Amino acid sequence: MYKIGTLNKISPVGLARLTDDYTVVEDVAEANGIILRSYDMHEMDLSDNLLAVGRAGAGVNNIPLDKCAEQGIVVFNAPGANANAVKELCLTGMLLAARNVPAGLAWASTLTGTEGVGKAVEKGKGQFAGTEIKGKTLGVIGLGAIGVLVANAAETLGMKVIGYDPFLSVKAAHSLSNTIDIVDALKDLYPQCDYISIHVPVMDDTKGMIDAEAIAQMKDGVVFLNFARDKLVNDTDMLAALESGKVKKYVTDFPNDAVIGKEGVIATPHLGASSAEAEDNCAVMAAKQLKNYLENGNIKNSVNYPDCDMGIRGENTRLLLLHHNVPNMIGQFTTILAKDNMNIADLTNKSKGKYAYTMIDIDSPVPAGVVEELKAVGEVLRVRILA
């Protein structure tokens, strides 16, 4: 019986994927797996019981990835599960900016109690006249699950779309409309676009990438949309560009102290993945990935260990070793098994940065002494036996 803890309210649709072999517990110290959304785990003590963490969403900045990896805890996320929800909100943001809807709504609300509202509307509506997006050019920075959906949808709405992604995957390339232009450098995208939407993760080389230098290359009056992460944009430089008129509108799903209430900023309260459908999809994916790892040892969509899959565990005993990615680990494992007359039916090893994962199917039970020998190998972080 596996125990699952939750650190946020998790969709019942996702939790329903857990079978009778699972029980949801209140005390996460007992849990073999944790499912969470935005709860900050950085100050948590990680129990020796904990084998895996499933993030019901894409971002994992609330999870101590290295700390988990060093304790042999696999962290999963749910890439693409909320992609449609974010795409729809991004398109909404673009239309809000194009048609000056927020200012119009704010003005209309001031007419409450006014006599002859209809006449007042006809007289005052001209100050909120906007533009249509059809025929305009949208630049999409980052063509992952969300960026591809945004690009394709915008093209369907009659926009010209230019994309940029130096790490474009084969899957994304197949999903992207073949009439969308792809450029090799941002300097070729910035000057052409009336709207720019960013869809990349926050890393050392992307943090603050939308700064004064980048904005200077953009078309005057550009609308910039950020439904990815607030740290991608230098707020000081963006506010200066709004004040000068270089940027017409900054649409962001990440209000903070710097931008909230500022002229030209349209801020939504981090609603990107906040749809009932997205929450269900993310929870389902998180639960399925946890189950597959706990029951079969397979890893898919981990952010701290390599993806690795040997299918459904059959009659063989499955030996799972999480370890540092250093030479001669496989040799040490097989030597120990051979010494104890263990016959290997199947073996696979994958690595990801500092960490590696080895799966071995044995056609006989594995004695406790062998497990202890494997645990004693230097650089081994955790040993699991599925029998």
Side-chain angles (χ1 to χ4, degrees), residues 326-333 377:
V326 296
N328 197 34
M329 296 301 288
I330 304 300
Q332 294 184 75
F333 299 154
V377 174

Side-chain angles (χ1 to χ4, degrees), residues 316-317 337-338 340-346 360-365:
N316 290 328
T317 300
L337 296 173
D340 288 276
N341 295 314
M342 299 282 98
N343 184 53
I344 296 174
D346 198 1
I360 306 174
D361 277 354
I362 309 293
D363 60 10
S364 62

Side-chain angles (χ1 to χ4, degrees), residues 5-15 35-37 54 56 279 283-284:
T6 59
L7 295 176
N8 297 103
K9 184 179 179 182
I10 303 300
S11 162
V13 176
L15 295 178
I35 302 178
L36 78 163
R37 293 168 62 199
E279 291 180 8
V284 166

Side-chain angles (χ1 to χ4, degrees), residues 52-87:
V53 175
R55 165 72 165 94
V60 290
N61 57 321
N62 56 318
I63 302 170
L65 302 182
D66 289 340
K67 181 179 176 181
C68 286
E70 286 296 322
Q71 292 186 221
I73 300 167
V74 181
V75 179
F76 300 90
N77 69 344
N82 59 16
N84 186 71
V86 179
K87 174 207 77 176

Side-chain angles (χ1 to χ4, degrees), residues 8 14 61 66 70 95 109 117 139 145 191 236 239 265 267 297 312 346 351:
N8 297 103
N61 57 321
D66 289 340
E70 286 296 322
L95 291 165
S109 68
V117 169
T236 301
L239 291 173
V265 174
I312 296 173
D346 198 1
S351 62

Side-chain angles (χ1 to χ4, degrees), residues 219-239:
K219 181 185 288 190
D220 290 348
V222 66
V223 172
F224 194 89
L225 303 115
N226 180 10
F227 290 87
R229 283 290 180 267
D230 60 340
K231 289 181 172 57
L232 298 169
V233 176
N234 182 306
D235 291 329
T236 301
D237 292 348
M238 179 58 71
L239 291 173

Side-chain angles (χ1 to χ4, degrees), residues 98-161:
R99 300 301 298 270
N100 208 7
V101 172
L105 289 173
W107 177 77
S109 68
T110 67
L111 300 179
T112 302
T114 302
E115 291 221 5
V117 169
K119 290 183 178 179
V121 165
E122 290 305 314
K123 184 177 180 180
K125 68 180 183 180
Q127 61 188 306
F128 307 107
T131 59
E132 298 178 15
I133 61 172
K134 183 179 180 180
K136 305 300 189 300
T137 300
L138 169 68
V140 179
I141 303 172
L143 295 166
I146 297 170
V148 165
L149 291 181
V150 171
N152 288 345
E155 187 180 61
T156 301
L157 292 171
M159 302 187 79
K160 177 184 177 182
V161 180

